[in-house]
Amino acid sequence: AEKKIDVESRPIAEKKQKKAQDSKFTIDVKDYLASKDIEVLEVYLEKKKEFEAKIRIDTLFGKQEYYLVAKDKKSVSDNDFTVAWQKAHDKKLIAAVMATGDMNKKGKEHLENWGNLVKFEKLRF
């Protein structure tokens, strides 16, 4: 019986560890998404300069779900897109990357090749 209690209590403890206090960046990201009528369905990660969540956007073809990776960083690289795509792929979603900075040269090249599976938007707030 004790093992069952331990197993059940673990996910709760993990959720508490993942949930950090909202930073200005994560609050700004959530406000930005709300202003664009983008629904946050599930939050996967909240850190001072990072936010990851499953989001839903209305499109011409109906509601579409994405794996959002938002970062407070000056330069977005091909590696950022690759990591976002891998996380999205694991959840069977398209990756949406949002950042406060611009893409570097390798990031732009990566997006040209993978643009159907990875979307990018510069955060402006």
Side-chain angles (χ1 to χ4, degrees):
E2 286 180 36
K3 285 184 180 178
K4 286 182 183 177
I5 292 168
D6 289 343
V7 171
E8 289 174 335
S9 67
R10 273 193 201 133
I12 295 166
E14 286 171 13
K15 284 179 188 175
K16 285 180 183 175
Q17 287 173 351
K18 285 183 185 177
K19 179 70 176 161
Q21 280 192 329
D22 285 350
S23 67
K24 179 170 176 10
F25 175 72
T26 60
I27 292 167
D28 287 345
V29 169
K30 290 175 188 175
D31 289 346
Y32 182 83
L33 295 173
S35 74
K36 298 256 185 187
D37 292 325
I38 299 172
E39 294 175 79
V40 176
L41 301 177
E42 187 177 349
V43 175
Y44 299 121
L45 175 76
E46 278 186 88
K47 289 186 176 178
K48 187 175 180 182
K49 295 186 174 213
E50 273 184 84
F51 179 77
E52 294 183 12
K54 182 178 184 178
I55 59 171
R56 185 163 48 201
I57 302 170
D58 268 327
T59 71
L60 183 64
F61 301 105
K63 291 186 182 286
Q64 177 68 53
E65 294 178 355
Y66 293 84
Y67 189 101
L68 169 68
V69 175
K71 293 187 175 214
D72 184 7
K73 68 186 288 189
K74 292 177 183 174
S75 180
V76 180
S77 69
D78 55 331
N79 187 52
D80 293 316
F81 288 126
T82 301
V83 171
W85 178 82
Q86 287 171 340
K87 290 178 178 182
H89 184 74
D90 288 345
K91 302 266 187 199
K92 297 177 176 58
L93 297 168
I94 296 170
V97 177
M98 294 182 178
T100 52
D102 291 310
M103 294 176 282
N104 65 17
K105 186 179 177 184
K106 283 187 174 182
K108 286 178 184 173
E109 289 171 5
H110 189 85
L111 200 61
E112 285 176 19
N113 294 325
W114 291 83
N116 289 329
L117 300 172
V118 180
K119 305 297 179 193
F120 175 74
E121 182 165 347
K122 183 173 179 174
L123 289 168
R124 302 173 198 280
F125 38 69

